[in-house]
Amino acid sequence: MERIEPGEMVRRLTGFIRTEGRFDSVAIENFRKMPGGASREIWSFECATERGGETSRRAMVLRRDPGAHNISTSRRHEFMVIRAAFEERIPVPEVFWVSEDPAVLGSAFFIMERIDGETLARRLLRDDTYARAREVMPAQLAEILAKIHQIDPVKHKLDFLAESGDNAALTEVSRYQENFRLLALEPHPAFELAFRWLLKRVPKTPRTTLVHGDYRIGNVVFGPEGVRSILDWELAHLGDPMEDVGWMCVRAWRFGNDQKPVGGLGSREDFFHAYEKASGTAVDPEAARFWEVFGNLRWGIITIGQARTHIDGFVKSVELASIGRRTAETELELLNLIE
């Protein structure tokens, strides 16, 4: 990927927004790279625009591919899924423009509004400021997830979404088993055991919906009142909605608060009940358990992939390398879950 200095990025971005928005003038200020974004770069800025004598100022975020990756996703597709969620009044940023032309910023990107708030889960779980948020967020997250699963892909022209076939569980297990074989450089007996456990317990897929694909505390913007926005839709696909339910229960998202398995905030039973109430659909505890085990296995394979992205030289990142050291945590959790 072409290396572009921040000053040059601002110049190119200014021209892009002026053309795409048909503005008379555009001014970008406070352009800075934000922390986090292990797989995608995130830049924050204020954008002042003028058209026909009317001026406007918006806080915006640029989400850009930093380079090559082991698993490819599309910024345009992510943009369209977020736009669909926004139109269905789900709490997500409003999206403005998207480009896959490398001549603009060197790689694909899209621009969306910046939602102010906190994203660090450790602060949510520990700071007094978020005591009220800790109480209300499990139910909020369940209700939002139910709305996500009600998005109509046909209505919003999301025909590009990957489909899971007749059995979403078997499709996902097979896909990650193939990824594991490609990525792993050394044996992982706990993962092999988990694959065997899952393949013996594949549940049916009673309904197929839009699946967020990465629905967890780390992808939530929150404030003292609770959820403000749901982020990172790049893994959205069509599948079993229980995949999202199980993913929310993965141990890695509890940040040490293991007595509350749903993001360190609440119990599985309360989360399931809130989802059932909002969706009108019953949660099968055994299916949810299957997807929780799968979620921990999936996260373990992702940690290997993140490390390989760094080791293989695609993106040099201490964060990606450190994520790779967490593979052992998932192996222990899988042994505990399937014992």
Side-chain angles (χ1 to χ4, degrees):
M1 183 184 73
E2 176 187 6
R3 180 176 176 81
I4 307 173
E5 296 300 322
E8 177 64 12
M9 285 182 66
V10 169
R11 188 189 70 79
R12 295 188 188 186
L13 195 58
T14 299
F16 172 81
I17 293 175
R18 182 174 181 175
T19 300
E20 292 294 308
R22 300 180 182 178
F23 296 114
D24 298 327
S25 66
V26 173
I28 292 176
E29 299 176 354
N30 301 320
F31 188 74
R32 59 187 178 85
K33 191 174 182 180
M34 300 176 69
S39 61
R40 301 290 177 265
E41 288 182 1
I42 304 173
W43 297 77
S44 171
F45 61 98
E46 279 74 48
C47 184
T49 60
E50 181 180 352
R51 179 168 48 203
E54 294 186 5
T55 60
S56 176
R57 188 179 185 89
R58 297 289 297 266
M60 297 184 179
V61 167
L62 166 73
R63 184 165 162 83
R64 181 177 78 142
D65 287 350
H69 284 265
N70 291 327
I71 301 176
S72 178
T73 57
S74 166
R75 298 290 66 69
R76 181 173 295 279
H77 291 172
E78 183 180 8
F79 174 93
M80 293 176 68
V81 174
I82 296 174
R83 184 174 62 186
F86 182 82
E87 291 173 354
E88 295 297 335
R89 301 182 182 277
I90 291 167
V92 295
E94 182 179 3
V95 290
F96 302 121
W97 306 286
V98 60
S99 175
E100 295 175 311
D101 183 358
V104 182
L105 292 179
S107 62
F109 67 91
F110 66 84
I111 299 169
M112 60 185 178
E113 73 171 314
R114 187 179 73 219
I115 305 293
D116 290 329
E118 182 59 77
T119 58
L120 293 179
R122 293 186 183 279
R123 292 180 182 173
L124 171 65
L125 300 181
R126 290 164 174 75
D127 290 4
D128 292 340
T129 301
Y130 302 109
R132 174 60 178 164
R134 288 192 289 272
E135 294 179 7
V136 300
M137 279 182 63
Q140 289 177 340
L141 290 166
E143 291 164 6
I144 293 168
L145 187 58
K147 290 181 180 179
I148 291 172
H149 294 160
Q150 291 165 1
I151 293 175
D152 184 349
V154 176
K155 172 185 174 182
H156 294 283
K157 300 179 180 179
L158 305 180
D159 54 330
F160 53 82
L161 290 173
E163 297 187 20
S164 57
D166 295 332
N167 189 299
L170 182 58
T171 297
E172 290 301 308
V173 172
S174 299
R175 183 161 70 91
Y176 274 90
Q177 192 170 37
E178 181 179 350
N179 289 342
F180 173 64
R181 300 281 181 254
L182 293 172
L183 292 170
L185 298 175
E186 64 284 310
H188 291 274
F191 287 1
E192 300 288 0
L193 185 62
F195 276 121
R196 292 182 186 180
W197 188 95
L198 289 166
L199 288 170
K200 289 180 179 178
R201 295 166 175 81
V202 174
K204 295 181 179 179
T205 305
R207 64 187 181 119
T208 299
T209 70
L210 174 68
V211 174
H212 180 280
D214 200 8
Y215 198 75
R216 56 186 173 88
I217 292 297
N219 285 332
V220 176
V221 179
F222 57 88
E225 77 287 358
V227 177
R228 291 183 179 175
S229 185
I230 306 298
L231 305 175
D232 288 7
W233 293 71
E234 64 184 284
L235 298 178
H237 58 279
L238 300 180
D240 188 337
M242 291 301 99
E243 180 183 344
D244 281 333
V245 172
W247 187 244
M248 179 59 81
C249 299
V250 168
R251 185 174 185 176
W253 325 141
R254 303 172 198 167
F255 296 90
N257 209 13
D258 287 334
Q259 72 277 15
K260 295 182 177 181
V262 179
L265 295 169
S267 69
R268 295 181 183 87
E269 293 75 18
D270 288 346
F271 185 67
F272 295 170
H273 177 71
Y275 178 86
E276 290 175 339
K277 183 177 179 181
S279 67
T281 303
V283 173
D284 179 352
E286 287 303 311
R289 175 174 167 78
F290 171 93
W291 284 111
E292 181 178 343
V293 172
F294 170 78
N296 281 277
L297 175 60
R298 172 189 165 195
W299 172 236
I301 295 168
I302 289 173
T303 64
I304 296 174
Q306 298 284 53
R308 285 289 302 273
T309 299
H310 167 78
I311 293 169
D312 294 346
F314 289 116
V315 179
K316 287 297 184 181
S317 166
V318 173
E319 183 177 7
L320 291 175
S322 64
I323 290 174
R325 292 176 61 86
R326 301 190 63 183
T327 306
E329 296 176 12
T330 65
E331 292 175 316
L332 178 59
E333 176 66 2
L334 284 168
L335 293 176
N336 288 332
L337 283 172
I338 67 179
E339 185 178 0

